[in-house]
Amino acid sequence: MADELVRLDDASIHLGGQAIVDRVNLTIRRGDVITIIGPNGAGKTTLIKAILGIHRLTAGTITREPGLTTGYVPQHTHFQPTLPLTVKRFMALTGASEADCRRALEQTSVGHLYHSTVHHLSGGETQRLLIARALVREPDLLVLDEPAQGVDVNGQAALYELIRELRDRLHCGVIMISHDLHLVMSATDRVICLNQHICCSGYPEQVSHDPAFVELFGQHVARSVAVYHHHHNHDHDLHGDVVPPTDSHAV
Amino acid sequence: MLFDAILNDFFWRALLGGLGVVLVAGPLGCFMVWRRMAYFGATLSHSALLGVALGTLFQIQLNLSIAVVSILISIVLMGLTRIQSLATDTLLGILAHSALAIGLITLAFMPDVRVDLTAYLFGDLLAMTREDLLWIYGGAAIVLALLAWLWRGLLMSTVHEELARVEGLPVERLRLALMLMFSLVIAVAMKIVGVLLITALLIIPAATARRLAKTPEQMVGLAVVAGMLSVGGGLSMSWNLDSPAGPSIVVAAFLLFLLTYGLAIPRRQN
């Protein structure tokens, strides 16, 4: 297919004889927003690192669109306090022009932090900075590892909103990992439920009723996700044109 | 010639040599601080004595044999860090002291060679020759050129290794280049402060600079300045008090460090 960015066929990664990722088949297309969910140790991060080319597959194949540019927003980004670094300098390390860097920061609503030190940013600001840094490379595929980590609840909704918005604007593919089932279900086109292998996948509604999902997360969670999803459908119209994502840190 | 007169004076030669080393110790010390490689640096410098021993044994130019041994040790280390059952600091500790001990024994077994051990352990700056100066400035030129060439990649892979990898930077090769530069600077810095104090010359000025810098480049510049002040201060201390030159430089660097942090703390509370 023309719009296929990355395709995994029976992709496996074994470590010390154990399968961390087990025969995963997955296609990411331009315009997709795919979320990987799953319990701790399910191999989610390993899988996306394989997609990024950081980890190598031990079996199976991965096919990337020729010339594919990926933007990566890693998990637990910790800036060494010993290394003085401003947002400006961090962005410039991509090699992009100052104008492009500033524009990317504006897009993720952290333009006002241009001269700040990266160590003083809040969780939400750090995530937005990292997304801006991924954006400046004009990625075909945006890969995010728990982008909402360390972000407060309001900020999380805004962040997922931003990710969808960017997908529309850049017409890129998005694949991310998330722990927050409720928000994922409302912000995603396709959910992949991973526990080494793909337990189930599909549209959020499908997945939340899937027996495999129920087994993995329990009745209680599955029902609450389904209920939440229903609610979300109701206020989606309102949500569409209400206030733009507010920055959690803005005073 | 004035320049010739300067080079004929042992004090000026010492000063020039010290300044030359500091020129590269500044930026490399910053990388050591940023990447938490202080213990790695100590291991390399301890193994420098093994380089001296082997160089003397096989009659190779000492700077060269030290650099070669350091490079070999860093390659061994890169391989050993893959062993998961031992923490890196344990491995470094094993290698550092084993290399030092083997070096000491090898030197002790060479009856024909009378080696001044203190000179190697604590530096012999005042015995700097013109040839030493040539090595120092030659080495510095190579290291500075490499640093300038690889700067963005080195910095990016220091800030975030995985991001650097995703962005297509050759992370492994950059790390190797950095280790190569560490080895070179250790080979030439040994003359100044000796095996046991090299890491201090790399790390203390960088730590001093951290307090005042806003960007990585500023930190490098300030580390060079702090290093130069330490060399100047240490040498004049040695001149006036007749104290050993290498340790005096380290003490000067330490005093500068204390001064910066002493000045910076009250400012922070405002």
Side-chain angles (χ1 to χ4, degrees), chain B residues 229-267:
Chain B
L229 289 175
S230 307
V231 167
L235 272 178
S236 53
M237 185 172 139
S238 169
W239 180 264
N240 289 309
L241 304 176
D242 202 22
S243 56
S248 302
I249 290 173
V250 174
V251 167
F254 178 58
L255 289 176
L256 208 57
F257 170 81
L258 286 182
L259 200 67
T260 336
Y261 275 68
L263 288 176
I265 287 162
R267 202 192 304 154

Side-chain angles (χ1 to χ4, degrees), chain A residues 99-116:
Chain A
D100 288 344
C101 291
R102 275 186 175 272
R103 195 175 319 123
L105 289 167
E106 290 300 337
Q107 282 184 357
T108 59
S109 335
V110 282
H112 58 289
L113 299 172
Y114 195 57
H115 295 287
S116 307

